Amino acid sequence: MKQKDKKKQRPRQAERLKNVQMPDLDALDDVREKAEYKTRRTAEKQHQKNKRTTLLIPGRILEVKSNYCYLVEAGDKLYEATLSGRLKQFSYSSKALSAVGDRVELDISGDPHFRIENILPRANTLSRYAEGNFQKEIILAANIDQVIITASWRQPLIKPGLIDRYICIAALQNTFPVIVVNKIDLCEDRGELQETIGYYRDSGYVALCTSVVSGEGMEELREVLKGKDSVFSGQSGTGKSSLINWLEPGLELRTAEVSDYNDKGKHTTTQAILLPWSFGGHLLDTPGIKTVNLHREAKAEIPRVFPGFADLAPNCRFRDCTHTHEDDCAVLEALEADKIPIGRYESYLRIMESL
Ligand SMILES: Nc1nc2c(ncn2[C@@H]2O[C@H](COP(=O)(O)OP(=O)(O)OP(=O)(O)O)[C@@H](O)[C@H]2O)c(=O)[nH]1
Ligand SMILES: [Mg+2]
Ligand SMILES: [Zn+2]
């Protein structure tokens, strides 16, 4: 083939590939429904041809209602939308193509048929890992700004070890942790409280003390939530629902309503939904987050993301220091100098051992 002809062919190929936005290269090997695929491609091409104009507006997936039916928020409106044929094709092979929280481009030209034309890259994903040997990743939501780590001072008793664990999980999922110590009305000794949360504040975390009984700290909490997308996580009974209902009495927690079964009676992963706060931002409502666990591969990251360790770890002699037996370890030195409470260090060891 002449050099000239080769050149001619290249742009054509490039153009064909441009229509194939692959989120997952493995999917290329997995063209299961070939005939269906072709039909859909033809229909899609036809649609493209017939389409005079598209009118794309930026939106956000709040809810996955059923197969390819999405609730999309755009501006101050809600739209029920389907995926474009092109996107549908890829969600067959890659289930995780679309998630609650995804930022999308919505075509509103075909009113009342709204279509998601593009899914934009994610800032982060909140995942859970299935039990068992393979620890399959289950994506709960995308683009969530912060995790409100909810503990209660008493009933149930505050467990800093659990707060540590949640902070590590938040860090590994690229989302921002905020500590809320609720039921502060049950606290008689503020000195003890300060001792417990001081370490986190000194390490740079935001830690609020709240009570739905006295109202203490509640407006501060609202300020933290305003304009951001948050998920509340924490032990059962710490008051997550109570906090949410105090802030937004109309915002019924729909967790219980979300069915564990799809219409064929088959058990499915319970879906998360995003609920808009009246004061701006969203609440991610997901029952799954309560049992959020660490992936085994996270073990290598814990020495850097454990609360208070991020600034110390770079000063250790070894880059992969586990802060246990190594020489010239900045964390062990800080422990020696009482800059890290022994309780926190023991909690670190417990997390490491659990992985
Ligand atoms: N004293 C006191 N009790 C509270 C406070 N907040 C919540 N409670 C009580 O704590 C109990 C549990 O509150 P929930 O809001 O149901 O806790 P939750 O975190 O949503 O629990 P799960 O849904 O099981 O995860 C309820 O009896 C609340 O009335 C508080 O600030 N002070
Ligand atoms: Mg609840
Ligand atoms: Zn170290």
Side-chain angles (χ1 to χ4, degrees), residues 134-155:
F134 297 102
Q135 293 205 301
K136 189 172 134 37
E137 183 181 19
I138 299 158
I139 295 181
L140 296 170
N143 306 314
I144 301 300
D145 298 312
Q146 54 190 9
V147 181
I148 311 299
I149 300 171
T150 314
S152 51
W153 180 246
R154 293 287 182 272
Q155 303 173 13

Side-chain angles (χ1 to χ4, degrees), residues 155 182-186 210-213 234-243 253 290:
Q155 303 173 13
N182 189 38
K183 308 199 190 183
I184 209 66
D185 54 287
L186 302 177
T210 59
S211 167
V212 300
V213 173
Q235 226 190 327
S236 179
T238 52
K240 299 177 293 294
S241 304
S242 307
L243 292 168
L253 270 190
K290 279 187 218 164

